[in-house]
Amino acid sequence: PISLESVRAPRFDRWWLISELLRTKTATPAEIAGATSIDPWFLDQLTTIIDMENFLAKSSLKSLKEPELRRAKAMGFGDVVMAKLMGVKPADVKEHRHRFDLHSELNQVDTCAGEFEALTPYYYFAYENNPPLHLPAKKKLVRASTSESVVILGSGPNRIGQGVEFDYCCVKASLAVRELGLDSIMINCNPETVSTDYDISSRLYFEPLTDEAVSRVLYEERTRSKVLGLICQTGGQTALKLSQSLVKDPILGTPREQIDRAEDRAKFDRLLSKLKMRRPKSKTAAKISQVLPAADQLGYPVLIRPSYVLGGRSMYTVRSKTQMEGILDTISRESDIQFPLLIDRFLEGAVEIDVDCMGDGREVVVLAIMEHIEEAGIHSGDSSCTIPCVTLSDTMIARIKKHAEALGKELRLNGFLNIQFAIFDGELYVLEVNPRASRTLPFVCKATGVDWVKPAVHAMLGKSFREQKLRAPTVYPQDFKHFSVKEVVFPFLKFPGVDVLLGPEMKSTGEVMGVGRDFSEAFVKGLIASGHRLPRNGSVFVSVKDDDKPKVAEICKELKALGYRIVATHRTAQFLRDQSIVASGINKVKEGQPHIVDAIINGEIQLVINTTDSEAAISDSFSIRRSALQTGVPYFTTLTAARAAVKSLSRWIRGELDVQPIQDFQQRDAYQTPLVAPSTSTQLIRKRK
């Protein structure tokens, strides 16, 4: 139960908990102010909003008068929220609002602070509360344009699961549109990064990424210029999801029905069957009661995921029926889960591959094939990866390339495509397809030295790859002169009590790139750049699940050869000694002091390798991982990442790391000739159609 004690200390959901206290009248604003030291003014504002919620919940839409409706809109209530409170459809609220000719009004943010006229301003919409009876004629804030325009949907505010990588893609898309002589119209509400810089786009609307806000911008823009369509592929899953609801507006690039075909899990299953491509055995659940029987039928472990998933949210790797029952209880309380849910047989220990492609409606170009360092089951945003691949044969790479091209052609790819494959027991499986720019695309652009967003956006506007004289990049390791490794950065230290174990839901908040003449050099640079304090000597603690014990023995042999001392839990230490590897045993926390957490805190451990699977084992080893994090000891929670790190440590110990400009490594001359802008953009659109 929510009480004053639950809101006394700051936490991420504090305002939601305070709102619930006020809704249920469990506490008064004065009591909350006393417990939290929050200024009463803010609590009064929150109380006013909750009073409006209660008013709307008790009202019928037909009885809602213009002043009441205007006040609700001025307070920030969207059509969707109002519809939910009154038990009607959002379209009904919109229609009722239009009866009163009630629309949000355009406002300008003066980027010059009134010093002189702002030539590159940005805009937002707001409802006026209690407007005067006679509004003066407003000056036209946005000049009419002689150019045609393209609307770019951004990714929204930066948060875990929707990162700055999409902001990069939006900026590159805006520049590519303007290069063709068109106006680029950005809709985004990111308060801190460059897509919302007012001089990146021709016009910027600082608005939330919702149907209501985007429709209002489009209505405004059509009064000023001819809107050729929307680009939804550079704004991540938020923008892609919007493409399915803005059905009256033209989408540039891959057709809307093909986007849905890739995103809807049941339709995607049928697509793979048509192409005769393998995928993990799966079942589809149209409602929550069907999930448990489907999982029992497939056998554990399984992976659960919804349609149009953002950042792996509400995705779970489930290893037992007991764990499944707890997860279903969590899912049932999430109001925005989109059915059907897909339940996949989880491929334990598979190698995961990311592939970025682009197409022009006819041809498909594979930009990069990236091998994940961590095994399958970890969100691609949290997994390290390398260009080129390090363990795959040319035969497997050719097979992956062929699959990617076939998927792109089947989806009539025009723009971007990201595909995730898994290699399990020598077979290639398709995990999922994202018909948009991915988080890995900026990494691919940096690693190859080519802005791949520009040719893809130009293709969306009708200019084929042949006209752009585009040359496809290489994907085979022997053709590369350098390796690039993407390493991730996590915020775990900022969140007390959070486990560092990785899974299908994204947790990272940044990434770095290490570049070197070989994989070891690139990987160790990535580790150092992401904050790992790699030891040149000392003790390595090893505690792994039973399935990993045979594999960890080889890693320990390499560590011993490099001069490290091995410390392990008693069972793991005995296993290593049976393999003729000298290892010291140490107590787990539950076995009593002195134990491993004491050793980590006392500075006796310089590196941690810890893998686990069962819920009990995860709980028991939590303090080990958390202590390593808090003391700055490097830790690895997957054996594949530990193996890669150990193989790279010799470079670190010997100090054989060169620092060179990235331009020395990058591939050059991706285009045979520069792109030439056509005389008019209309010709491009007609050609595309």
Side-chain angles (χ1 to χ4, degrees):
I2 302 170
S3 65
L4 277 176
E5 287 305 313
S6 61
V7 301
R8 196 176 293 276
R11 48 186 286 174
F12 77 97
D13 57 352
R14 192 187 202 185
W15 279 106
W16 283 266
L17 296 176
I18 290 173
S19 299
E20 199 58 31
L21 287 175
L22 293 171
R23 284 190 191 98
T24 56
K25 301 190 184 307
T26 306
T28 65
E31 289 171 334
I32 295 170
T36 63
S37 298
I38 294 173
D39 192 289
W41 184 88
F42 294 102
L43 296 171
D44 287 343
Q45 299 302 306
L46 192 58
T47 303
T48 303
I49 292 171
I50 291 168
D51 289 344
M52 177 57 75
E53 274 185 5
N54 295 332
F55 172 76
L56 292 172
K58 294 174 183 176
S59 303
S60 67
L61 184 61
K62 289 183 179 179
S63 68
L64 209 59
K65 306 299 182 186
E66 194 271 348
E68 299 161 342
L69 184 59
R70 179 181 290 278
R71 187 159 184 268
K73 298 302 291 183
M75 290 175 68
F77 283 81
D79 289 352
V80 172
V81 174
M82 293 177 69
K84 187 176 180 180
L85 288 168
M86 291 188 284
V88 297
K89 296 177 181 177
D92 297 333
V93 177
K94 181 179 179 180
E95 184 182 345
H96 187 66
R97 182 162 52 79
H98 285 188
R99 286 197 192 106
F100 298 114
D101 196 26
L102 183 57
H103 306 279
S104 55
E105 296 189 20
L106 186 66
N107 292 269
Q108 173 183 318
V109 177
D110 187 352
T111 56
C112 299
E115 186 175 354
F116 47 83
E117 186 177 5
L119 299 178
T120 52
Y122 59 101
Y123 309 95
Y124 67 96
F125 289 93
Y127 287 87
E128 302 289 343
N129 195 6
N130 301 318
L133 293 176
H134 302 289
L135 284 171
K138 282 200 171 186
K139 174 187 173 182
K140 286 190 176 180
L141 299 178
V142 183
R143 299 179 183 84
S145 174
T146 55
S147 300
E148 294 163 314
S149 62
V150 172
V151 174
I152 299 170
L153 299 181
S155 60
N158 274 356
R159 56 197 185 278
I160 296 175
Q162 189 83 318
V164 74
E165 299 92 337
F166 298 122
D167 216 51
Y168 171 99
C169 295
C170 286
V171 168
K172 293 293 185 182
S174 181
L175 298 176
V177 167
R178 296 179 77 175
E179 187 174 307
L180 293 178
L182 301 169
D183 281 355
S184 66
I185 313 302
M186 183 72 71
I187 307 176
N188 206 4
C189 56
N190 189 343
E192 58 179 331
T193 49
V194 289
S195 68
T196 45
D197 191 335
Y198 55 80
D199 60 1
I200 287 295
S201 304
S202 306
R203 290 184 290 285
L204 166 68
Y205 291 90
F206 199 90
E207 287 290 304
L209 275 298
T210 64
D211 294 1
E212 182 179 349
V214 173
S215 297
R216 181 68 183 92
V217 172
L218 291 171
Y219 177 83
E220 185 72 26
E221 273 299 314
R222 288 194 184 100
T223 66
R224 309 180 190 288
S225 65
K226 181 180 179 182
V227 178
L228 298 177
L230 289 82
I231 291 177
C232 63
Q233 294 184 34
T234 55
Q237 204 65 26
T238 297
L240 198 70
K241 189 175 177 181
L242 271 174
S243 72
Q244 300 302 298
S245 55
L246 299 168
V247 293
K248 295 180 181 178
D249 301 290
I251 301 294
L252 298 177
T254 304
R256 184 182 274 108
E257 63 274 11
Q258 297 298 334
I259 291 175
D260 188 55
R261 195 178 174 203
E263 287 289 314
D264 185 281
R265 302 303 176 180
K267 294 176 183 176
F268 179 56
D269 221 12
R270 293 194 290 271
L271 181 152
L272 293 181
S273 297
K274 178 183 176 181
L275 295 177
K276 295 182 171 56
M277 292 183 184
R278 287 177 180 266
R279 65 155 304 150
K281 290 182 180 179
S282 64
K283 298 281 184 182
T284 302
K287 51 187 179 181
I288 202 153
S289 61
Q290 297 175 355
V291 175
L292 194 58
D296 289 340
Q297 199 170 348
L298 287 171
Y300 295 95
V302 295
L303 183 71
I304 304 178
R305 48 184 171 164
S307 299
Y308 291 94
V309 65
L310 169 64
R313 184 173 174 270
S314 302
M315 287 177 62
Y316 303 93
T317 302
V318 191
R319 300 183 182 277
S320 67
K321 188 171 184 176
T322 304
Q323 186 185 1
M324 175 68 85
E325 289 169 348
I327 286 169
L328 289 180
D329 180 59
T330 301
I331 291 175
S332 65
R333 289 186 267 109
E334 295 182 11
S335 59
D336 58 344
I337 287 289
Q338 282 201 310
F339 283 88
L341 292 178
L342 192 73
I343 304 98
D344 288 330
R345 187 77 168 86
F346 181 60
L347 305 178
E348 191 87 63
V351 176
E352 190 163 341
I353 306 295
D354 245 293
V355 180
D356 277 333
C357 313
M358 65 182 184
D360 63 0
R362 293 170 292 278
E363 297 182 68
V364 176
V365 174
V366 176
L367 301 177
I369 297 176
M370 292 156 275
E371 182 178 351
H372 286 213
I373 309 301
E374 288 81 5
E375 59 198 22
I378 292 172
H379 192 280
S380 59
D382 287 354
S383 182
S384 308
C385 67
T386 173
I387 300 174
C389 304
V390 289
T391 67
L392 305 190
S393 66
D394 283 1
T395 302
M396 180 57 77
I397 290 172
R399 195 173 167 196
I400 292 169
K401 185 172 182 288
K402 185 178 179 181
H403 271 48
E405 290 168 346
L407 282 163
K409 287 176 181 176
E410 178 65 25
L411 290 168
R412 292 161 54 194
L413 175 63
N414 192 342
F416 306 98
L417 185 69
N418 171 260
I419 309 166
Q420 290 167 23
F421 293 98
I423 301 170
F424 183 70
D425 285 345
E427 295 292 341
L428 184 63
Y429 292 81
V430 181
L431 298 181
E432 65 176 292
V433 171
N434 297 305
R436 54 168 171 79
S438 69
R439 287 181 185 83
T440 51
L441 187 61
F443 168 57
V444 172
C445 293
K446 298 292 184 184
T448 59
V450 179
D451 172 14
W452 294 111
V453 178
K454 180 166 71 171
V457 169
H458 286 191
M460 292 182 200
L461 291 164
K463 194 172 187 184
S464 71
F465 292 157
R466 291 181 186 272
E467 289 177 278
Q468 298 184 54
K469 297 185 179 178
L470 186 73
R471 189 172 69 211
T474 183
V475 294
Y476 295 98
Q478 61 268 25
D479 297 327
F480 281 81
K481 296 178 182 178
H482 71 282
F483 280 73
S484 300
V485 171
K486 183 197 79 162
E487 185 61 63
V488 291
V489 178
F490 294 99
F492 297 130
L493 200 56
K494 309 279 188 187
F495 296 96
V498 172
D499 202 337
V500 302
L501 281 179
L502 304 179
E505 186 165 351
M506 185 173 167
K507 298 177 180 179
S508 62
T509 51
E511 60 185 44
V512 296
M513 183 171 77
V515 182
R517 290 160 297 181
D518 55 36
F519 172 74
S520 293
E521 182 183 359
F523 188 63
V524 78
K525 283 180 178 179
L527 288 175
I528 294 166
S530 60
H532 287 78
R533 298 187 311 188
L534 298 178
R536 286 193 165 92
N537 51 56
S539 298
V540 177
F541 172 71
V542 179
S543 176
V544 296
K545 59 188 178 183
D546 289 341
D547 290 347
D548 285 343
K549 282 184 170 63
K551 303 172 190 173
V552 85
E554 288 302 315
I555 295 175
C556 289
K557 285 179 183 177
E558 291 186 45
L559 285 166
K560 294 294 287 184
L562 291 170
Y564 294 92
R565 176 172 170 261
I566 304 297
V567 178
T569 52
H570 293 299
R571 283 183 60 193
T572 302
Q574 185 58 54
F575 174 84
L576 293 173
R577 288 193 288 266
D578 292 343
Q579 305 297 311
S580 302
I581 300 169
V582 177
S584 303
I586 193 169
N587 285 347
K588 296 178 181 179
V589 174
K590 66 179 181 181
E591 293 171 342
Q593 291 180 310
H595 49 59
I596 178 56
V597 170
D598 293 333
I600 292 172
I601 293 171
N602 293 337
E604 299 165 16
I605 301 295
Q606 282 67 51
L607 192 145
V608 170
I609 299 174
N610 174 227
T611 69
T612 187
D613 49 10
S614 70
E615 291 177 77
I618 289 171
S619 176
D620 289 344
S621 56
F622 167 76
S623 58
I624 297 172
R625 295 184 295 274
R626 192 72 204 179
S627 299
L629 173 73
Q630 290 173 327
T631 55
V633 174
Y635 59 87
F636 298 94
T637 58
T638 66
L639 220 54
T640 48
R643 186 184 296 115
V646 170
K647 287 185 180 297
S648 302
L649 277 174
S650 60
R651 299 295 292 271
W652 173 241
I653 292 170
R654 295 195 302 267
E656 297 176 356
L657 299 178
D658 283 343
V659 177
Q660 290 178 262
I662 192 172
Q663 291 82 358
D664 289 356
F665 289 106
Q666 290 170 335
Q667 297 179 36
R668 298 182 183 277
D669 303 321
Y671 301 111
Q672 293 174 356
T673 59
L675 295 182
V676 179
S679 55
T680 66
S681 56
T682 307
Q683 290 175 353
L684 287 177
I685 296 297
R686 285 174 181 163
K687 193 181 295 181
R688 182 180 64 82
K689 289 181 178 177

